[in-house]
Amino acid sequence: MPPLIASDSWGPVDTTPWESNWTEFWDNSASKKVEIDGRNDDEERNWCDEGTREKYQRPGPGILPPLLSHCLHNPEHTLYSVTASAPPPKHSASTSAVPSSSPASAGSSTSLPPHVAPSPSADEIRTAIPHPNAYYCKEHNGWVLLSWCSSTVLPPIIPSYRFERPLPDQARRKRTVSCVGSEDQVVNQANRTHHFHKYSAAVDARTLNIPFKRSEWEAEARQKKRNRSVTLRIEGDEGETSTQGEKNDEPEGDLLDIYVCCQCSVYCLVSRHVIPGVIPLRKVEEFVKDKVENPPVGKNSATAVVSGWETIITILENRLWRGENRVLPVGRPKFQAKIGWSGMVAKVFESLDFTIQSLSGVSEQALHPPSVDPTTPEGKRSRAKLLRAWIEISAWLTLYHKTKPKEMAGYTPQVLHVSVQSATEMIQSAIGAHLNQIPRGLLPPALIGFEPLDRAWEDLGMTPTSYSPELLIFAYLAQCRCDPASTITYFTHFYAIVDTMKNLGISLHDSLEMLVAEERSRHRFTFADYNRAVSLLGFGKDNILHVELEDDVPTKFIIQAWKDAVKRSWHEVDGVQLRTDLNDAFKIVADMRQSSKLRKAWEQEKVSIISPDAAYSTLDVPHETDEEMLVTIFNMRVEDQPGQADKMREALAVIAEVRDSNRLRQFLETGRDPGDPTSETRLDMPRGLNQLGNTCYLNSLLQYFYTIKDLRAAVAPLGGKFGDQSKFTDDELKKHRVGGRMVTRKEIVRSKKFLNQLADLFWNLEYCEHAAVTPSLDLAKLALVTSQDEEEDDQNGGSSTDTSNDTDATLVEDGHPRPAQERTSQSPAREPPSPGSVLGKRNRHPVKKSLDMDVDGEHVDVDKDGFVMVSKPPSSPEIRHASPPASSSPAKLKKAPPRQDDVDSKDKSRKPANDEKAPPLPPRKRTTEDSIMMFGRQHDVSECMDNCMFQIETALLDLHDQEVGSAMTDKTSIIKRRVVVDSRLLFYGKKRQRLTHLRETDAMRPRAHSTHEKEDLFSHLHLNVADEGIDLYDGLGRYFDDVVEVEGTKKRMEVTIVDLPPLLQIQLQRVQFDRETQQAYKSQAYVKFGETLCMDRFLDSANPEKRLRSKEIQARLNACWERIQRFTQGKHAPFAPALGATAEFLSRQPELSAGDTDLIARVTTEQSLVYSQLDQERTTASKLKQELEDVWKYDSAAVYELTSVFIHRGSTPSFGHYFFYSRNLPANPDQWFKYNDSTVTLVSKDEVFADTTGSTANPYMLVYARKGAEVIETVHRFDISALDAEATAA
């Protein structure tokens, strides 16, 4: 699996612990390139340790000035400084005053008893503004109390304040007056900017240097609002009454929020709520709406609004400065023209303490102004209220004029005596958010309005518009500095922003990428990493543990889950990387849970959990050592090195867990060896095969043979029977052929010996009580060494099969192979080689090496996990055959001699481009040290199978059969006649091959025949898997209809199946040849295959019309795949990523001309075209495949079921390990066994059919059995319970 925290595109991540390497590059890190002070190395290392956090008492999350400016007030609203002056005196002409008690004539006003109050003083006008630091907001028609200061002394915090987090360190704050200078004066700063921390409702506004206290009328209005709220709560939900009562017990003064910078003396105070204006905002909005919707005649909506407010301002000025005390009849034409009268207008005047009464003696209503006599409490209260209202309405109207310049054209507004000025720049400069202090406009366009990152920006304490690489780094580091407990939250957000930029193709600043890498090296992780870690440890409802990792999961359970996961990793292909990931995952969980116990367990045991390879290395024993020998060697090691006893015990404990050995566990617990616990091995499980020195592929083949019921039945009775080889004559030999040729007397002798050894092995696999059986050395030698190899060795004066001719390569240094189960005296004795024996290869003449995958080869080193590494590649791309070749085809194909089962076994994937022949590599002399392979030349599974089948076939020959006569065909083959199912051959089918000319001109050439046709037997179908994205049907389609080169001419090779075998063996040709490097390589392409395979479409008897239609579709599909291959494979492919990389490289150049920009655009466009073409081709291929399947969807007479899957695990043809899967037939078709040398385990179906993309473990050969043939019996074990039942019955 991929690494846990290195799965992104940032390149390799240095996983060296921070403690060992971080301090070395601290001064050169990305974080040091940004001005930030106050960080602590110890605290950042131990961010998850509560004790460390308690020690340093950090103030928690903070915000940068741009976000603070948004928090102080709605960023879409502007705050204004307001100043007011008294209107100039105005002579008021005497008018006939009508007392309020006397009837008034229409169109006149009446006066109250004469009493003129003094005009408001300048001080009264100044204090009408709520506070010197109050700023007006038009959108709220209210005031925001806002002040800032640089002082080492904070304003007093209310006694009842409950600190959720401590205040910043005051000693540090005193050292710096301000983190930033004014405007652009930002040089020599210790910090990039301020980092403010909020304390809500912490300061009583009455304790300010200039106290703020609500006026009497404001306090009354506030109390009425509270009373109404309490009443509503009581009526709506009695349960909330006490809560509200508690709120009423708060201090009467307004509570302010305070924002404190943790690195300097600057702080900021702001009112929690807008101080409302005299006229409530809702009434202002309704008044404006009414004027807009119902403008008087001759006015537009804007002038109607202005005229209305100007009339109210005039009424207020007349009342305050001109002593106007007369009532205002609301029905008079002038009043109606200016304002009009409605319930809404009445509410506006009610807010101003005007009362509505009827005039005496008439039914006309009039507004009665309030008293403004400062000598009375009521007059003083109304006086202050009207002054505030006059300022607020004048300020609102001043701002309204500025927003309606076009609508106000031609209208002469009233002179206002209140001026307003935007306070935005002043406020931003004071808190450090001014454009000159923190630039704007650097955010990449792709991120503007990118909502998925909104939470990330906010939690990091900044705004997207203020982005710059330096400020983003500062924000992240500042949050980690002041709120270490949430470090992972901040890293998640920081990584999300940087990763989003990378994914969107935005050019990243080097410092951002560098900081991500640095933080990764300090064990920083994201929430996504945490989720992967939890899953990797096995937690999850549908995971191995079936338990979610909740807060209440015990620590011990988590530790054990980690250890169990590590143990499981020992059986995985990528176990080393997986164990590293598991250690990282456990630390992530420990840090996230902030558990000291988990961290301690990680520190103590992360090194102690050694790998199985290290465990075997510690005890200095090979992996194949049996348990009895392990115990013996362990005691010897401990006796020799008592100081290493603990390490030895740990190594043996690991081996015990890997093998799941109760014997070794009990030995470690008690110190006494309980013996070989054979009862622990299930009697009904298949037995494994121990290795004899890199013979994993032979083990896979022998296990496969044993699962074939008819082959097992034919071989088993022949154990121990050699027969008298002198009873047949040369004439009898000449009457029989195997593989298209006669066999020698010597071949018959060695074949019968091989069959005897194979039968002996089958007996052990059936009756052995041990978990694994050791094949005899003779069996291995006879299987791996062909008679042809043996003859060549004899000509060179040596015999590879003679154990007396050993080289310096030792087979086993420590211990003996596991003994096989004893059987009758008919079995030959199996004596293990002496400790000093050596089994190796002799000096040979140069031979042409096969391109098939090797397990052992030239200069082989045994690696961990059962791998075998070969230092030198094959010497030639030509094919070498294990079995003697059949007679040549009449067509004389230009290629290596064919196998006995194929007319054309040429590997099309190795055909050089432009039909050129790849020059062979020069031969190299081989020495006795070239290989530690036990014997014989290297073979792959199919070659080894050919050799084994040749010997089985030869050994089963009935040489005295007089009915054979002079026939010289493979039909005389005993294995092809004797081992049959339903009168059909077991392994061999019959195919018909046709060679036809591609072009009519070729057919016209002299001595050129239009068609060559031949029928022949086959045991394997060879599929080329060089291309990505194919399935089994794709490969078979190309095999049965391909183009080959014959005598310098390309011809079409069409293959059909005349007779299908019960067992269909399909070899996936993964070895390819690279003309550029002149080297063979292994194709890791994923080939999709299923449980069933329908072969009807490939039969010679298939419907001709369907075949023709299928051929047409297949041709189009092949052409489509070729076009896809040109785009994605080859010398310069894939093209689309290359074009993208080119465009990115060009765009990063410092100086680009107009031509360069145009080139980049053209390259990008070309990349898009390539991607589009690829998508189109893949869509077409998908449609064609479906069309092809539809042609044959009703043909299911020749259905096969998957029985075996051979796997080669390795990155190159000369390196790897073989194992295979076998389906449990017929007992449990949904159950699969994994045969991995001595280990046989049950595995899930998903593992067998898994997508191997990105893995080096790929299927190499597939075996399908004809449905209903019943040729496979996977588990064939002696059932002792059946004997017990018979004895009981008797």
Side-chain angles (χ1 to χ4, degrees):
M1 67 171 287
L4 181 67
I5 309 185
S7 57
D8 49 43
S9 57
W10 298 102
V13 175
D14 181 12
T15 56
T16 308
W18 181 30
E19 293 85 346
S20 64
N21 74 339
W22 176 254
T23 54
E24 297 178 6
F25 62 84
W26 176 274
D27 292 336
N28 296 321
S29 67
S31 61
K32 293 298 291 181
K33 297 179 180 179
V34 175
E35 303 92 341
I36 183 168
D37 196 13
R39 297 174 65 196
N40 183 279
D41 182 20
D42 174 62
E43 188 178 14
E44 293 191 3
R45 272 204 321 267
N46 300 290
W47 62 269
C48 53
D49 180 62
E50 186 176 358
T52 303
R53 298 199 302 270
E54 287 293 330
K55 174 183 176 182
Y56 291 100
Q57 291 290 300
R58 293 292 188 174
I63 58 176
L64 305 189
L67 184 57
L68 173 61
S69 68
H70 291 187
C71 295
L72 297 178
H73 192 58
N74 191 323
E76 297 181 359
H77 298 176
T78 303
L79 296 179
Y80 297 92
S81 297
V82 179
T83 56
S85 59
K90 182 178 180 182
H91 177 69
S92 180
S94 60
T95 58
S96 56
V98 180
S100 60
S101 58
S102 303
S105 59
S108 66
S109 62
T110 61
S111 64
L112 295 173
H115 176 75
V116 179
S119 299
S121 64
D123 191 53
E124 283 183 287
I125 296 173
R126 179 179 55 81
T127 56
I129 296 173
H131 191 272
N133 294 321
Y135 299 90
Y136 178 73
C137 175
K138 174 180 177 291
E139 286 74 14
H140 284 98
N141 190 40
W143 305 81
V144 175
L145 181 58
L146 176 60
S147 67
W148 50 87
C149 181
S150 177
S151 173
T152 58
V153 179
L154 293 174
I157 307 298
I158 60 174
S160 61
Y161 187 77
R162 296 180 180 179
F163 283 96
E164 295 181 359
R165 297 181 182 275
L167 286 167
D169 181 14
Q170 296 305 300
R172 173 174 292 281
R173 293 186 67 249
K174 291 178 181 179
R175 291 203 294 264
T176 306
V177 175
S178 176
C179 290
V180 298
S182 59
E183 297 183 350
D184 58 345
Q185 185 182 350
V186 292
V187 295
N188 298 324
Q189 297 175 187
N191 285 280
R192 180 70 179 80
T193 186
H194 295 295
H195 196 232
F196 290 101
H197 301 269
K198 180 181 180 180
Y199 300 86
S200 298
V203 176
D204 190 338
R206 298 173 300 177
T207 63
L208 300 179
N209 291 335
I210 302 178
F212 169 74
K213 185 178 181 181
R214 303 266 182 163
S215 61
E216 185 179 348
W217 60 269
E218 288 180 289
E220 290 177 1
R222 193 178 187 190
Q223 188 58 46
K224 287 180 181 179
K225 184 176 180 180
R226 285 181 176 177
N227 293 340
R228 284 197 302 270
S229 178
V230 172
T231 301
L232 292 173
R233 290 179 181 273
I234 292 175
E235 294 176 352
D237 188 353
E238 295 181 359
E240 297 187 12
T241 305
S242 59
T243 303
Q244 183 63 34
E246 292 174 1
K247 292 182 179 179
N248 287 338
D249 293 336
E250 293 178 357
E252 293 182 359
D254 283 74
L255 298 181
L256 308 178
D257 294 340
I258 183 172
Y259 293 85
V260 183
C261 179
C262 59
Q263 298 299 308
C264 71
S265 300
V266 173
Y267 67 85
C268 181
L269 291 166
V270 65
S271 54
R272 301 177 63 206
H273 308 290
V274 174
I275 302 169
V278 175
I279 303 176
L281 176 62
R282 183 172 56 84
K283 295 180 181 179
V284 172
E285 292 173 343
E286 290 177 354
F287 182 86
V288 172
K289 181 180 179 182
D290 179 72
K291 297 305 173 187
V292 169
E293 294 178 351
N294 305 289
V297 177
K299 295 182 180 178
N300 58 33
S301 58
T303 56
V305 171
V306 172
S307 177
W309 284 123
E310 286 178 344
T311 301
I312 295 176
I313 290 174
T314 300
I315 292 172
L316 295 178
E317 289 180 350
N318 287 341
R319 184 71 188 95
L320 291 169
W321 276 277
R322 301 184 183 94
E324 185 64 70
N325 196 32
R326 292 177 295 175
V327 298
L328 298 171
V330 298
R332 305 290 172 85
K334 189 174 182 180
F335 189 91
Q336 288 289 339
K338 289 286 187 180
I339 301 179
W341 185 252
S342 64
M344 175 272 302
V345 175
K347 291 179 181 179
V348 170
F349 278 99
E350 284 177 5
S351 302
L352 299 173
D353 287 349
F354 281 74
T355 59
I356 304 173
Q357 298 179 13
S358 298
L359 293 176
S360 299
V362 295
S363 60
E364 186 177 8
Q365 289 185 321
L367 289 172
H368 292 250
S371 170
V372 291
D373 185 358
T375 62
T376 66
E378 182 180 351
K380 184 178 181 180
R381 171 185 170 281
S382 296
R383 185 184 183 90
K385 188 174 185 180
L386 293 184
L387 270 174
R388 172 80 64 81
W390 172 74
I391 291 175
E392 290 169 355
I393 297 172
S394 299
W396 190 97
L397 197 54
T398 301
L399 297 171
Y400 187 80
H401 287 165
K402 297 179 180 179
T403 61
K404 305 289 183 180
K406 292 183 180 180
E407 293 85 345
M408 296 295 294
Y411 180 83
T412 304
Q414 178 178 317
V415 177
L416 300 176
H417 305 287
V418 173
S419 61
V420 296
Q421 183 177 1
S422 174
T424 300
E425 290 200 8
M426 176 180 63
I427 296 172
Q428 289 185 343
S429 295
I431 64 175
H434 195 273
L435 293 175
N436 293 331
Q437 296 165 322
I438 296 181
R440 308 297 200 274
L442 300 180
L443 184 69
L447 293 185
I448 296 176
F450 192 75
E451 294 183 359
L453 292 180
D454 287 351
R455 177 67 183 275
W457 296 112
E458 182 178 354
D459 283 1
L460 289 174
M462 63 183 297
T463 61
T465 56
S466 61
Y467 163 79
S468 69
E470 296 79 9
L471 194 68
L472 176 59
I473 293 175
F474 175 84
Y476 165 68
L477 295 176
Q479 292 290 57
C480 293
R481 172 192 65 195
C482 296
D483 186 22
S486 301
T487 293
I488 298 311
T489 298
Y490 301 130
F491 181 71
T492 298
H493 291 322
F494 176 77
Y495 181 82
I497 293 173
V498 178
D499 192 52
T500 299
M501 291 183 181
K502 193 175 186 68
N503 291 335
L504 292 177
I506 298 171
S507 179
L508 284 175
H509 195 275
D510 291 342
S511 60
L512 295 177
E513 294 184 285
M514 185 183 301
L515 185 58
V516 168
E518 290 172 4
E519 293 299 271
R520 286 292 197 193
S521 72
R522 299 167 67 193
H523 300 294
R524 300 293 190 258
F525 55 89
T526 65
F527 288 122
D529 295 330
Y530 171 73
N531 293 334
R532 285 193 293 270
V534 169
S535 177
L536 190 61
L537 292 175
F539 288 96
K541 183 179 179 181
D542 300 324
N543 212 334
I544 296 173
L545 300 177
H546 302 289
V547 174
E548 298 289 349
L549 185 56
E550 305 289 351
D551 293 338
D552 58 350
V553 175
T555 299
K556 291 183 178 180
F557 186 85
I558 299 175
I559 295 174
Q560 189 59 47
W562 171 44
K563 293 181 178 180
D564 291 343
V566 171
K567 293 173 184 176
R568 290 194 298 271
S569 73
W570 295 334
H571 304 284
E572 298 296 331
V573 176
D574 52 351
V576 176
Q577 180 62 50
L578 185 56
R579 283 189 291 277
T580 301
D581 291 344
L582 285 168
N583 283 338
D584 291 339
F586 185 71
K587 176 164 175 55
I588 286 175
V589 171
D591 289 348
M592 180 63 80
R593 295 175 73 91
Q594 301 188 12
S595 169
S596 58
K597 292 182 179 179
L598 292 178
R599 291 197 302 274
K600 184 177 180 181
W602 181 78
E603 290 289 345
Q604 292 178 345
E605 301 185 39
K606 65 177 179 178
V607 179
S608 64
I609 302 181
I610 62 176
S611 68
D613 296 322
Y616 284 109
S617 177
T618 299
L619 293 175
D620 195 18
V621 295
H623 289 61
E624 300 80 16
T625 306
D626 60 32
E627 293 177 352
E628 182 177 359
M629 183 60 66
L630 275 172
V631 173
T632 302
I633 293 176
F634 170 81
N635 289 327
M636 292 172 54
R637 300 282 188 262
V638 171
E639 184 178 352
D640 293 340
Q641 307 175 55
Q644 299 294 318
D646 291 340
K647 187 175 181 180
M648 299 293 177
R649 285 184 61 82
E650 181 184 356
L652 189 60
V654 168
I655 296 173
E657 294 299 332
V658 171
R659 297 188 176 192
D660 194 21
S661 169
N662 288 330
R663 177 182 183 179
L664 294 180
R665 292 193 191 102
Q666 190 172 347
F667 169 72
L668 289 168
E669 291 175 3
T670 64
R672 291 180 296 179
D673 184 5
D676 187 359
T678 57
S679 60
E680 296 297 328
T681 304
R682 284 176 48 183
L683 295 177
D684 61 340
M685 281 288 290
R687 276 14 188 183
L689 292 178
N690 294 313
Q691 271 211 38
L692 294 176
N694 308 325
T695 56
C696 52
Y697 68 101
L698 175 60
N699 286 346
S700 298
L701 181 59
L702 295 174
Q703 291 281 23
Y704 165 62
F705 280 160
Y706 186 69
T707 65
I708 303 172
K709 181 171 60 175
D710 295 270
L711 177 62
R712 187 174 62 232
V715 171
L718 304 179
K721 298 180 180 179
F722 284 93
D724 187 357
Q725 311 306 327
S726 62
K727 292 183 179 180
F728 53 85
T729 66
D730 292 340
D731 290 337
E732 290 174 329
L733 285 177
K734 294 178 181 178
K735 297 178 181 179
H736 296 81
R737 289 176 176 268
V738 177
R741 69 172 179 83
M742 293 186 294
V743 294
T744 65
R745 189 181 302 273
K746 185 176 181 180
E747 286 176 326
I748 294 177
V749 172
R750 75 189 305 275
S751 296
K752 288 185 176 292
K753 183 178 180 182
F754 168 77
L755 196 66
N756 173 262
Q757 297 294 317
L758 183 62
D760 201 35
L761 176 68
F762 283 2
W763 191 93
N764 279 294
L765 289 173
E766 181 178 357
Y767 292 99
C768 178
E769 296 181 0
H770 296 285
V773 176
T774 302
S776 68
L777 294 178
D778 284 339
L779 174 64
K781 286 183 283 186
L782 291 168
L784 295 171
V785 181
T786 68
S787 58
Q788 184 179 15
D789 290 340
E790 195 172 66
E791 289 175 3
E792 292 178 4
D793 290 331
D794 290 341
Q795 293 174 3
N796 293 327
S799 175
S800 69
T801 58
D802 186 358
T803 57
S804 63
N805 294 331
D806 296 329
T807 67
D808 295 334
T810 60
L811 174 63
V812 180
E813 294 181 358
D814 298 304
H816 303 294
R818 180 190 298 274
Q821 183 77 7
E822 294 183 4
R823 64 175 291 180
T824 63
S825 58
Q826 293 176 345
S827 301
R830 292 181 177 83
E831 296 182 2
S834 62
S837 67
V838 286
L839 300 170
K841 298 186 68 175
R842 288 88 38 231
N843 187 16
R844 289 178 171 272
H845 293 296
V847 295
K848 297 179 179 179
K849 288 290 292 180
S850 169
L851 275 183
D852 292 325
M853 286 178 285
D854 295 342
V855 179
D856 313 289
E858 301 170 4
H859 192 67
V860 182
D861 294 322
V862 181
D863 191 17
K864 54 190 175 182
D865 295 332
F867 283 96
V868 181
M869 296 178 290
V870 182
S871 61
K872 293 187 175 70
S875 58
S876 173
E878 298 184 34
I879 301 175
R880 179 178 53 83
H881 300 278
S883 299
S887 58
S888 59
S889 168
K892 294 184 179 181
L893 306 184
K894 184 178 289 186
K895 55 190 177 187
R899 297 183 182 227
Q900 66 180 43
D901 54 359
D902 286 320
V903 172
D904 180 14
S905 60
K906 182 176 181 180
D907 188 349
K908 283 80 178 176
S909 66
R910 302 179 196 122
K911 184 172 58 180
N914 301 324
D915 301 327
E916 295 179 3
K917 297 180 180 180
L921 297 180
R924 179 179 62 85
K925 291 185 178 181
R926 300 160 59 99
T927 63
T928 56
E929 291 78 22
D930 277 350
S931 175
I932 62 168
M933 182 177 176
M934 296 195 330
F935 23 67
R937 295 187 181 128
Q938 174 59 46
H939 303 291
D940 73 327
V941 166
S942 62
E943 290 175 319
C944 184
M945 178 182 289
D946 288 341
N947 185 40
C948 292
M949 294 305 301
F950 174 81
Q951 295 185 87
I952 294 173
E953 196 172 342
T954 301
L956 293 176
L957 282 174
D958 186 353
L959 297 172
H960 302 293
D961 188 354
Q962 299 300 321
E963 297 180 1
V964 174
S966 59
M968 293 297 195
T969 135
D970 279 332
K971 293 181 180 179
T972 63
S973 169
I974 297 300
I975 192 169
K976 298 187 182 79
R977 290 192 297 109
R978 182 172 180 176
V979 185
V980 296
V981 177
D982 295 337
S983 302
R984 291 189 303 274
L985 305 180
L986 181 61
F987 294 95
Y988 291 86
K990 182 182 293 185
K991 63 184 177 181
R992 177 175 288 117
Q993 301 176 105
R994 300 179 184 86
L995 280 173
T996 58
H997 292 288
L998 284 178
R999 298 185 299 269
E1000 294 183 0
T1001 54
D1002 294 333
M1004 302 299 293
R1005 293 170 57 188
R1007 308 172 74 178
H1009 299 283
S1010 59
T1011 302
H1012 293 281
E1013 184 172 312
K1014 180 184 179 182
E1015 288 187 4
D1016 204 350
L1017 299 176
F1018 71 92
S1019 63
H1020 295 77
L1021 298 179
H1022 300 271
L1023 269 60
N1024 178 29
V1025 291
D1027 301 338
E1028 299 285 346
I1030 69 169
D1031 61 17
L1032 193 55
Y1033 284 109
D1034 291 326
L1036 288 171
R1038 298 182 187 184
Y1039 173 83
F1040 285 100
D1041 189 353
D1042 203 355
V1043 176
V1044 297
E1045 181 181 338
V1046 180
E1047 298 179 345
T1049 303
K1050 290 185 178 181
K1051 292 188 177 184
R1052 177 174 298 280
M1053 169 74 79
E1054 295 180 274
V1055 181
T1056 56
I1057 296 179
V1058 178
D1059 190 15
L1060 283 165
L1063 285 174
L1064 184 63
Q1065 301 174 139
I1066 303 174
Q1067 183 174 355
L1068 307 181
Q1069 298 288 88
R1070 293 195 171 275
V1071 183
Q1072 308 295 321
F1073 184 75
D1074 188 342
R1075 280 189 52 81
E1076 295 294 327
T1077 62
Q1078 293 292 297
Q1079 297 292 329
Y1081 70 94
K1082 176 190 173 186
S1083 169
Q1084 307 286 0
Y1086 167 58
V1087 179
K1088 185 177 181 181
F1089 57 93
E1091 291 187 60
T1092 59
L1093 178 66
C1094 294
M1095 295 295 293
D1096 300 76
R1097 69 188 68 178
F1098 307 117
L1099 296 178
D1100 193 64
S1101 59
N1103 186 305
E1105 294 181 358
K1106 289 185 178 182
R1107 184 184 296 168
L1108 180 60
R1109 173 63 178 154
S1110 178
K1111 183 177 180 180
E1112 294 173 353
I1113 298 173
Q1114 186 68 52
R1116 290 158 56 198
L1117 181 59
N1118 290 343
C1120 192
W1121 282 121
E1122 289 177 4
R1123 289 192 293 271
I1124 293 174
Q1125 185 178 12
R1126 285 200 298 270
F1127 279 119
T1128 58
Q1129 300 180 31
K1131 182 177 180 180
H1132 301 292
F1135 294 108
L1139 290 168
T1142 302
E1144 183 179 1
F1145 171 79
L1146 292 174
S1147 63
R1148 289 188 175 186
Q1149 301 311 303
E1151 297 181 2
L1152 293 176
S1153 63
D1156 294 333
T1157 304
D1158 180 62
L1159 176 60
I1160 294 173
R1162 290 168 57 193
V1163 171
T1164 304
T1165 302
E1166 188 68 21
Q1167 181 191 24
S1168 301
L1169 291 175
V1170 172
Y1171 275 128
S1172 175
Q1173 184 66 26
L1174 271 174
D1175 291 340
Q1176 181 179 347
E1177 294 292 348
R1178 285 169 176 153
T1179 301
T1180 302
S1182 179
K1183 292 180 180 178
L1184 289 173
K1185 282 179 61 62
Q1186 185 58 50
E1187 190 175 346
L1188 187 61
E1189 293 304 313
D1190 290 342
V1191 172
W1192 301 100
K1193 64 181 178 181
Y1194 297 114
D1195 294 76
S1196 56
V1199 178
Y1200 280 79
E1201 296 177 315
L1202 184 67
T1203 66
S1204 303
V1205 180
F1206 287 80
I1207 302 293
H1208 176 267
R1209 184 179 66 204
S1211 57
T1212 69
S1214 301
F1215 169 93
H1217 175 65
Y1218 276 101
F1219 58 91
F1220 97 112
Y1221 298 104
S1222 183
R1223 196 175 189 177
N1224 190 358
L1225 294 175
N1228 191 346
D1230 290 330
Q1231 192 177 69
W1232 286 82
F1233 293 106
K1234 180 180 181 180
Y1235 293 78
N1236 192 358
D1237 289 332
S1238 60
T1239 303
V1240 182
T1241 55
L1242 285 170
V1243 297
S1244 68
K1245 185 191 302 185
D1246 293 339
E1247 179 177 331
V1248 180
F1249 294 97
D1251 187 339
T1252 60
T1253 302
S1255 171
T1256 62
N1258 322 103
Y1260 177 73
M1261 190 166 72
L1262 308 174
V1263 181
Y1264 284 84
R1266 187 73 177 262
K1267 190 173 183 179
E1270 299 181 358
V1271 292
I1272 298 295
E1273 185 185 19
T1274 307
V1275 180
H1276 183 70
R1277 292 281 301 152
F1278 175 69
D1279 188 0
I1280 193 172
S1281 62
L1283 293 181
D1284 293 339
E1286 292 177 4
T1288 302

